[in-house]
């Protein structure tokens, strides 16, 4: 069924101005729209797809929601890789459910992005051509079973920190999608922690395998929250628009504070010599993040960037027959309905 997008703010949907109105009227009109938008921001009310919104707000949301959607579906790969090798039926069932959830998160988010007037095809093209970004964390490899547990514990744990505030985002469809996503993310975090706990109660070799995975993931996960606030010029605008609610550094601090006690319970060391409780700040201090490494991975030089993208492009091409079949079926249904109506 064709999806009808509410796009009243797009130039193509605006009535042609009559001669004489060209100068004065559009200005007064747009000032009124801007004021209504600003008032909604001040009152912390939601913007819905049919509401007018500034172009920059729309573009920022399309970029953020689509990057988020791309991250969800690319994020299926590092763990999907272990479905056929999970150590027990129970672990396999849990992992299957988790990876399917991530696919579902991608679908809600593409749908939320579509309400802003972009097509899913255009968003996927941008991903497949390498133009669009996704979270750099998924460009790291998963060589052992412990990586799967650590992704659940730390990567999904970081995702929750980042995503809970987005449930209060000013754009309604994004905020509502995040509520369900966050519920599922907390299951992801718990299953990862529980799997690691089981491994830590096992043999010395298992404990070593968990520690090795923690050593490899810890720093990239801290970088997941994005550049320090001082180097993140877009953040302030995102805050004013109610898209971003908590700054990168504050989220990172919350994550470190929550992770230290969990690491103690697990019995693993977090690989940071500078990590210590600061009585005055009432927070943990932590060491310096290697931002050069982060940017190298963002810009395509991570260990798995090429592999992840190639796998995604191939999956899309392999699924072409499904899309063709669905469209053919929809056309047939439509033709039948028209015939019945005639
Ligand atoms: Fe997810
Ligand atoms: Fe998740």
């Amino acid at each position: 069924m064709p999806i009808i997008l509410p796009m009243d703010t797009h130039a193509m949907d605006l009535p042609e101005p009559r001669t004489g109105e060209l100068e004065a009227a559009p200005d007064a009109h747009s000032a009124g729209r801007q004021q209504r938008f600003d008032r909604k921001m001040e009152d912390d009310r939601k913007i819905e797809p049919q509401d007018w919104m500034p172009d920059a707000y729309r573009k920022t949301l399309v970029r953020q929601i689509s990057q988020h959607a791309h991250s969800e579906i690319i994020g299926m790969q590092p763990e999907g890789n272990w479905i056929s090798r999970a150590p027990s039926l129970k672990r396999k069932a849990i992992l299957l459910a988790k990876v399917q959830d991530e696919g579902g998160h991608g679908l809600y988010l593409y749908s939320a992005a579509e309400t802003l007037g972009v097509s899913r095809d255009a968003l996927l093209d941008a991903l497949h051509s390498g133009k669009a970004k996704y979270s750099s964390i998924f460009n790291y490899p998963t060589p052992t079973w412990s990586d799967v547990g650590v992704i659940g514990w730390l990567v999904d744990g970081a995702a929750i920190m980042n995503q809970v505030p987005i449930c209060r985002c000013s754009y309604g469809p994004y905020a509502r999608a995040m509520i369900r996503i966050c519920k599922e993310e907390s299951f992801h975090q718990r299953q990862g922690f529980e799997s690691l706990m089981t491994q830590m109660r096992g043999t010395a070799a298992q404990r070593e395998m968990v520690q090795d995975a923690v050593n490899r993931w810890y720093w990239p996960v801290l970088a997941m929250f994005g550049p320090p606030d001082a180097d993140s010029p877009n953040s302030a605008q995102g805050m004013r628009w109610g898209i971003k609610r908590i700054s990168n550094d504050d989220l990172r601090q919350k994550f470190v504070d929550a992770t230290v006690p969990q690491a103690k319970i697990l019995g693993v060391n977090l690989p940071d010599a500078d990590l210590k409780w600061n009585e005055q700040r009432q927070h943990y201090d932590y060491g310096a993040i290697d931002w050069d490494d982060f940017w190298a991975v963002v810009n395509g030089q991570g260990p798995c960037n090429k592999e992840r993208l190639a796998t995604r492009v191939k999956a899309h091409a392999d699924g072409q027959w499904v899309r063709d079949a669905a469209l053919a079926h929809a056309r047939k249904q439509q033709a039948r309905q028209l015939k019945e109506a005639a």
Side-chain angles (χ1 to χ4, degrees):
M1 215 168 74
I3 296 165
I4 297 165
L5 295 173
M7 295 194 294
D8 71 327
T9 59
H10 280 189
M12 59 181 159
D13 292 323
L14 294 175
E16 288 286 314
R18 285 193 300 264
T19 334
E21 280 180 354
L22 271 173
E23 299 295 307
D27 277 347
H29 184 48
S30 53
R33 295 185 307 198
Q34 180 73 48
Q35 266 172 9
R36 276 195 296 279
F37 175 86
D38 293 344
R39 210 169 310 129
K40 271 196 186 156
M41 290 286 120
E42 278 161 31
D43 300 347
D44 212 4
R45 279 185 292 149
K46 293 271 181 275
I47 302 294
E48 295 297 338
Q50 66 274 18
D51 296 336
W52 181 87
M53 62 189 90
D55 256 355
Y57 175 83
R58 183 186 297 275
K59 277 193 191 126
T60 300
L61 279 169
V62 169
R63 199 187 57 235
Q64 183 173 332
I65 300 173
S66 62
Q67 278 180 5
H68 193 163
H70 301 329
S71 304
E72 298 284 356
I73 60 167
I74 295 278
M76 297 168 79
Q77 292 184 35
E79 292 172 284
N81 184 21
W82 275 94
I83 291 172
S84 59
R85 293 175 289 160
S88 68
L89 183 60
K90 175 183 146 187
R91 293 292 170 201
K92 190 186 180 100
I94 294 172
L95 186 58
L96 261 175
K98 192 225 183 221
V99 173
Q100 282 180 347
D101 280 355
E102 306 300 8
H105 297 173
L107 299 184
Y108 312 148
L109 290 166
Y110 284 122
S111 299
E114 282 177 312
T115 65
L116 291 156
V118 281
S119 76
R120 192 174 301 208
D121 282 347
L123 298 176
L124 286 173
D125 276 351
L127 172 65
H128 297 160
S129 64
K131 234 173 71 194
K133 299 270 182 253
Y134 55 86
S135 177
S136 62
I137 197 74
F138 300 118
N139 290 317
Y140 291 90
T142 43
T144 71
W145 173 248
S146 296
D147 289 274
V148 173
V150 171
I151 288 181
W153 176 40
L154 295 180
V155 176
D156 289 273
I160 297 171
M161 282 290 169
N162 206 15
Q163 292 174 3
V164 165
I166 309 177
C167 297
R168 294 184 290 116
C169 166
S170 60
Y171 188 57
Y174 192 25
R176 290 188 288 273
M178 290 318 299
I179 293 171
R180 174 156 176 191
I181 290 176
C182 283
K183 285 183 184 157
E184 292 175 347
E185 294 301 354
S186 79
F187 148 63
H188 298 171
Q189 200 263 357
R190 292 296 291 269
Q191 66 81 35
F193 188 83
E194 196 263 344
S195 168
L196 294 177
M197 201 73 224
T198 306
Q199 293 171 56
M200 291 303 286
R201 291 196 193 107
T203 63
Q206 283 176 303
R207 281 191 288 277
E208 229 168 85
M209 189 167 77
V210 173
Q211 183 62 57
D212 171 65
V214 171
N215 293 348
R216 284 180 289 106
W217 288 94
Y218 184 71
W219 288 104
V221 167
L222 286 197
M224 261 176 85
F225 294 95
D229 296 345
D231 304 331
S232 187
N234 293 332
S235 282
Q237 182 60 67
M239 293 268 207
R240 276 196 295 279
W241 276 334
I243 297 173
K244 197 168 173 56
R245 298 288 187 177
I246 305 181
S247 81
N248 295 353
D249 285 333
D250 288 351
L251 284 169
R252 194 166 9 246
Q253 182 70 64
K254 268 167 85 92
F255 176 78
V256 171
D257 291 349
T259 302
V260 172
Q262 292 171 5
K264 267 190 203 133
I265 295 169
L266 270 180
V268 295
N269 296 313
L270 297 175
D272 178 0
D274 298 321
L275 190 65
K276 59 170 184 301
W277 178 250
N278 183 322
E279 190 56 39
Q280 202 188 349
R281 288 198 315 121
Q282 291 290 299
H283 288 294
Y284 282 94
D285 289 337
Y286 55 92
I289 294 168
D290 181 352
W291 291 107
D292 291 342
D293 179 64
F294 171 78
W295 287 114
V297 180
V298 169
N299 291 320
Q301 279 112 52
C304 303
N305 296 53
K306 287 198 181 73
E307 184 189 327
R308 299 286 184 246
L309 205 55
T311 303
R312 170 93 271 279
V313 170
K314 183 177 181 302
H316 191 71
D318 289 350
Q320 187 59 47
W321 71 271
V322 180
R323 292 187 294 279
D324 290 345
L327 282 173
H329 180 69
R331 271 193 296 270
K332 226 196 259 174
Q333 295 272 81
Q334 204 177 24
R336 196 173 302 153
Q337 274 169 8
L338 282 174
K339 221 172 169 184
E340 276 167 19

